[in-house]
Amino acid sequence: MLIKVFGAAVQGIDATLITIEVNSSRGCMFYLVGLPDSAVKESHQRIISALQVNGYRMPTSNIVINMAPADIRKEGSAYDLPLAIGMLGASEVIQSDKTDRYLIMGELSLDGSLQPIKGALPIAIKARELGFEGIIIPKQNTREAAVVNNLQVYGAENLKEVIEFFNGKQELKPVHIDTRKEFYTRQNSFDLDFSDVKGQENAKRALEVAAAGGHNILPGSGKSMLAKRLPSILPPLSLGESLETTKIHSVAGKLGQEGGLISKRPFRDPHHTISTVAMTGGGSFPQPGEISLAHNGVLFLDELPEFNRNVLEVLRQPLEDRKITISRVKCNVEFPASFTLAASMNPCPCGYYNHPTKACVCSPGQVQKYLNRISGPLLDRIDLQIEVIPVPFEKMSDARPGESSADIRERVVRARQLQSERYSEVPGIYCNAQMNSKLLARYARPDDNGLALLKTAMNRFNLSARAYDRILKVSRTIADLEGCELIQPSHLAEAIGYRNLDREDWAG
């Protein structure tokens, strides 16, 4: 008997339908074809054990399984459940009249219990797109897949439940979760708030500008306390952004059992020993890296010069294109990577260069060598570069709370709304940091006084053409925060002041 069961393969952050054709005939052989990897081939042994433990016999007939399309490599253990159902259906152990109405995925333990899988959300999206009645997945993944509306999501704890469901002996209840209500409820709750930060008004202002325009920022000293509060002043995620972000984390297996839509912008802070592949994504079966997990959020690199030079250099292309393409022999996968880069670094190896009270013990050569660990092209891509000075005792001992994240966020949201209206007819542009040369000439053109100021700064600090563009983008954001249609010289002056690492006196 020939039947078809349907599963899915995740490529990038999207799923592709996999048709599992199972033919049972007289004989005693087992064949599995369709470019399966070792994990898929090993499913045969897991299925045998799961069936025996649950009181079923492995079909003894001649079984041929084809996983189509055959040119896509099938990887991972998530095909255990559809393969088992396909074999039982072809051997008439279960009724096969309903198997083609569901998309089935799940990993089997030896006792038949189902283990969670990666990519349940894109698989559910593909199932709805192709018109399936529902999907059957491990119970741990149901909250994740229930994000998709107009689709019945069934969660099973073990193989026996699925077999009895198809035989009509047991009902699986579809999971319905109001994920959108939870999404809006959790959007404005943050554990960290800017009101806890004492002093550092210049750094807070720079972070506000960075959040308002989507700019990359580098505080000159290791101020992780400030950077970790950056998500609390970024605009709330839209449903579209949340869905895309959740898909990435679903594919990477980072959602956990709570599942649901991600309601807050992600904050990723990898250790400086991270490898290039872990940062960008990849592997024999490409998975999202840290830059994609930070999509629509913040990527924080603490102690930037301590990162491997190659790891930092691979950030240059994603910072410009806001995506990363992973090329392998058998596939090319594109992951989104539109993130705000927040980095921090000390001014020198000992950390006391330009310190108001402590003397630096580093030689000028050591300071320059330390700063040279970061290439000029990468620094050019960081719009705001500021030096953070130590907080005086009077500020630290002040019991009065600072300005809250909610108040700063209101100004940021207003500025983003102006940008959204300005670029409404330009596809792919949502904030000032994404402006191209044509948009810069149209919306960020300073007057004659501003041009004269900019020319003086370019000559004095020997700024690059990319730094010129960054100054214009930041000044446009500062003008938006003040509700000004035209860029004023004061806006340009503040933007120029955020190019600290371009100044020769900073590094001695």
Side-chain angles (χ1 to χ4, degrees):
M1 180 179 179
L2 173 65
I3 74 162
K4 293 182 180 181
V5 178
F6 297 96
V10 178
Q11 296 180 305
I13 61 170
D14 297 311
T16 301
L17 181 70
I18 300 297
T19 303
I20 299 172
E21 303 171 317
V22 185
N23 186 34
S24 177
S25 59
R26 183 175 299 176
C28 59
M29 301 297 291
F30 177 84
Y31 302 96
L32 178 59
V33 297
L35 211 59
D37 74 343
S38 297
V40 180
K41 293 176 182 177
E42 291 169 355
S43 66
H44 187 208
Q45 306 303 319
R46 290 191 293 272
I47 293 170
I48 291 174
S49 176
L51 289 174
Q52 289 176 343
V53 171
N54 286 276
Y56 296 92
R57 292 181 60 187
M58 182 70 181
T60 56
S61 56
N62 200 68
I63 294 177
V64 180
I65 302 175
N66 177 44
M67 305 179 75
D71 60 337
I72 296 177
R73 188 163 185 81
K74 322 306 183 301
E75 305 198 4
S77 54
Y79 296 101
D80 291 357
L81 183 59
L83 288 174
I85 295 302
M87 285 190 285
L88 294 174
S91 303
E92 300 184 3
V93 176
I94 65 172
Q95 299 175 18
S96 59
D97 58 326
K98 295 195 298 182
T99 54
D100 60 350
R101 289 153 51 184
Y102 300 92
L103 197 153
I104 308 168
M105 292 294 283
E107 175 188 340
L108 286 174
S109 296
L110 295 183
D111 63 355
S113 60
L114 292 175
Q115 300 298 319
I117 61 173
K118 293 181 179 180
L121 178 55
I123 290 171
I125 292 173
K126 175 58 70 172
R128 183 184 65 178
E129 178 186 319
L130 296 175
F132 282 95
E133 182 178 319
I135 63 170
I136 300 174
I137 54 176
K139 199 166 188 176
Q140 299 95 317
N141 294 113
T142 52
R143 284 183 59 85
E144 179 182 337
V147 168
V148 181
N149 55 13
N150 300 324
L151 180 73
Q152 299 292 329
V153 177
Y154 298 96
E157 293 185 353
N158 54 62
L159 174 62
K160 187 174 183 179
E161 288 183 3
V162 182
I163 295 174
E164 292 184 349
F165 170 74
F166 283 114
N167 283 334
K169 295 180 180 179
Q170 179 178 339
E171 285 294 322
L172 291 177
K173 294 183 179 180
V175 177
H176 297 287
I177 299 172
D178 193 349
T179 53
R180 284 157 179 78
K181 182 179 179 181
E182 294 181 4
F183 168 75
Y184 289 116
T185 302
R186 300 195 305 248
Q187 261 195 335
N188 298 313
S189 60
F190 295 94
D191 296 329
L192 302 174
D193 196 281
F194 269 93
S195 61
D196 303 326
V197 181
K198 306 296 183 183
Q200 306 292 6
E201 302 305 328
N202 63 324
K204 290 180 184 177
R205 169 65 176 176
L207 287 168
E208 179 181 341
V209 173
H215 303 289
N216 304 315
I217 184 170
L218 191 152
S221 297
K223 292 298 178 185
S224 57
M225 181 181 183
L226 289 164
K228 289 178 179 178
R229 284 160 172 76
L230 183 55
S232 68
I233 63 172
L234 288 170
L237 281 170
S238 67
L239 272 174
E241 288 176 326
S242 176
L243 183 61
E244 188 175 34
T245 305
T246 308
K247 283 174 66 177
I248 296 170
H249 286 250
S250 172
V251 170
K254 302 291 185 182
L255 284 181
Q257 293 190 16
E258 65 275 5
L261 285 170
I262 290 177
S263 58
K264 301 173 187 174
R265 294 188 180 272
F267 180 87
R268 305 294 299 183
D269 55 344
H271 193 260
H272 65 260
T273 57
I274 189 173
S275 67
T276 303
V277 172
M279 180 68 81
T280 60
S284 57
F285 182 52
Q287 291 287 298
E290 289 293 330
I291 61 173
S292 294
L293 292 171
H295 181 62
N296 290 323
V298 177
L299 177 67
F300 176 52
L301 304 182
D302 198 7
E303 298 300 342
L304 191 64
E306 301 299 331
F307 282 79
N308 184 286
R309 178 76 175 241
N310 293 332
V311 172
L312 295 181
E313 292 307 298
V314 297
L315 294 176
R316 287 160 57 175
Q317 183 255 342
L319 284 172
E320 290 288 337
D321 299 339
R322 300 186 179 272
K323 62 183 179 181
I324 181 75
T325 302
I326 309 297
S327 298
R328 294 293 180 265
V329 175
K330 296 180 180 179
C331 66
N332 288 325
V333 176
E334 184 177 285
F335 292 114
S338 180
F339 57 90
T340 297
L341 175 63
S344 70
M345 60 180 287
N346 286 311
C348 66
C350 77
Y352 294 123
Y353 186 82
N354 280 350
H355 195 282
T357 59
K358 296 184 179 181
C360 175
V361 297
C362 305
S363 66
Q366 286 177 311
V367 176
Q368 194 61 50
K369 183 179 179 181
Y370 182 75
L371 295 177
N372 285 343
R373 294 182 185 178
I374 308 170
S375 68
L378 179 60
L379 280 179
D380 280 345
R381 287 168 168 82
I382 299 177
D383 304 354
L384 292 91
Q385 307 160 3
I386 59 170
E387 185 176 4
V388 181
I389 60 175
V391 182
F393 176 78
E394 292 76 13
K395 290 283 188 180
M396 286 191 291
S397 60
D398 191 350
R400 292 173 298 177
E403 188 176 23
S404 69
S405 293
D407 293 337
I408 301 174
R409 196 185 204 189
E410 284 184 13
R411 297 195 294 269
V412 168
V413 169
R414 284 198 298 268
R416 284 289 185 105
Q417 287 174 344
L418 289 174
Q419 295 164 46
S420 179
E421 294 170 3
R422 181 183 301 137
Y423 310 126
S424 59
E425 298 180 359
V426 185
I429 305 294
Y430 309 103
C431 60
N432 291 331
Q434 299 173 326
M435 280 194 292
N436 53 33
S437 299
K438 184 177 179 181
L439 293 175
L440 274 175
R442 182 175 179 182
Y443 296 116
R445 178 74 178 175
D447 58 19
D448 292 340
N449 292 334
L451 284 173
L453 176 64
L454 195 50
K455 180 180 179 181
T456 301
M458 292 289 294
N459 293 334
R460 180 178 177 184
F461 302 128
N462 194 26
L463 301 178
S464 66
R466 186 175 279 113
Y468 172 84
D469 288 348
R470 303 286 170 175
I471 290 172
L472 290 180
K473 291 178 182 179
V474 172
S475 61
R476 177 68 268 171
T477 299
I478 296 169
D480 288 341
L481 282 168
E482 295 184 5
C484 297
E485 184 176 349
L486 300 176
I487 295 176
Q488 305 297 327
S490 60
H491 304 147
L492 280 167
E494 184 178 351
I496 293 168
Y498 293 135
R499 301 299 302 183
N500 275 4
L501 293 184
D502 293 324
R503 304 183 183 189
E504 296 179 0
D505 59 347
W506 198 86

